[in-house]
Amino acid sequence: FGTGPLLAGGSALRMSGGSAAGVEVTCDFDAGNIEVVDSSSISNVALKVRADPYTELEKKAHKQWFYFRAGGDIKGKEVTYNLQCGDCSYAHAFIGTTVVYSTDRKEWKRVAATSFDKASAVMTWKHASPSDVCWYAYFAPYSYERHQELVAACASSPLARVRSIGRTLDGRPIDLVTVGEGPLKVWVIHRQHPGESQAEWFAEGLVDRLLGTGGGGETAS
């Protein structure tokens, strides 16, 4: 299982708007990632994707994943978020994307009012939060803590073997889970690209099917 820099926690940048009438935007939590351009008005919360760690192989720092918390006087008010994607690694991937949101970080729903302007490379979504605090993300986040629980479930199963085959740019183990025996080898790789945390949900489902391990309670719709 790869645990790429897109889910690096601990060092997440905390930024907020300077006006009491604006929106408080923060990302200092596991998997959090955003850069605030201007959040002083609910009619235009301007955001950018913060870069992942620099990769020597590709000679660049990727930008794709975003996940942040919005607060302040937002409950029941339509807020317009504008994410500047022009310098993202795969800006075209935002075409047709609908942002996900959650008020409890367990159940994730999609913001239907999401659009992407190709000319300006800006993704816009309008949303009236049903709560005082709301979290928004590219996809339903798969936390590093949940990743550890999945690895532990694999390691404790008599049907699997777990070993580390390397380290991520953040120094985290890249785990290889081996299930079964025989001459035919099938490799399942996920989360090797920026913004692909959602792939581990599929990996968890596969592991659950192969080993009979239990899943968690988060859902995405």
Side-chain angles (χ1 to χ4, degrees):
F1 298 135
T3 54
L6 56 95
L7 278 185
S11 60
L13 182 65
R14 184 183 190 278
M15 303 186 71
S16 62
S19 171
V23 179
E24 297 172 357
V25 177
T26 58
C27 66
D28 52 349
F29 48 83
D30 182 18
N33 188 50
I34 202 67
E35 182 178 329
V36 178
V37 178
D38 185 3
S39 62
S40 60
S41 172
I42 64 171
S43 63
N44 179 22
V45 179
L47 306 167
K48 296 181 67 176
V49 176
R50 191 184 56 176
D52 290 340
Y54 183 82
T55 63
E56 288 292 341
L57 179 64
E58 298 176 282
K59 303 300 181 183
K60 68 182 301 184
H62 282 288
K63 294 182 179 182
Q64 196 72 16
W65 171 257
F66 64 89
Y67 176 26
F68 65 91
R69 165 183 153 164
D73 188 19
I74 64 171
K75 184 176 181 179
K77 297 182 178 180
E78 184 178 80
V79 179
T80 300
Y81 300 89
N82 291 301
L83 183 67
Q84 301 170 12
C85 309
D87 60 350
C88 287
S89 300
Y90 309 101
H92 62 276
F94 292 117
I95 300 174
T97 294
T98 48
V99 172
V100 298
Y101 77 93
S102 176
T103 56
D104 60 8
R105 298 205 299 170
K106 293 182 179 180
E107 181 180 7
W108 292 85
K109 299 180 180 180
R110 295 192 176 276
V111 180
T114 303
S115 61
F116 183 82
D117 183 78
K118 295 181 181 179
S120 62
V122 172
M123 182 163 66
T124 300
W125 67 95
K126 300 177 183 290
H127 185 243
S129 172
S131 175
D132 293 323
V133 180
C134 192
W135 286 262
Y136 298 94
Y138 186 23
F139 289 98
Y142 196 100
S143 72
Y144 189 62
E145 183 62 28
R146 190 183 182 103
H147 169 81
Q148 293 295 323
E149 292 175 355
L150 179 59
V151 172
C154 294
S156 62
S157 171
L159 302 177
R161 301 184 303 279
V162 178
R163 63 187 177 95
S164 175
I165 58 174
R167 297 275 180 173
T168 70
L169 293 175
D170 288 323
R172 295 176 173 179
I174 299 175
D175 297 306
L176 172 65
V177 177
T178 304
V179 180
E181 298 177 347
L184 182 62
K185 310 295 183 182
V186 178
W187 286 82
V188 180
I189 303 172
H190 65 284
R191 282 185 61 173
Q192 73 270 37
H193 296 135
E196 289 186 351
S197 67
Q198 73 276 17
E200 193 156 0
W201 292 106
F202 293 94
E204 181 181 294
L206 176 61
V207 167
D208 186 34
R209 179 66 65 88
L210 293 174
L211 304 180
T213 55
E218 287 86 345
T219 61
S221 59

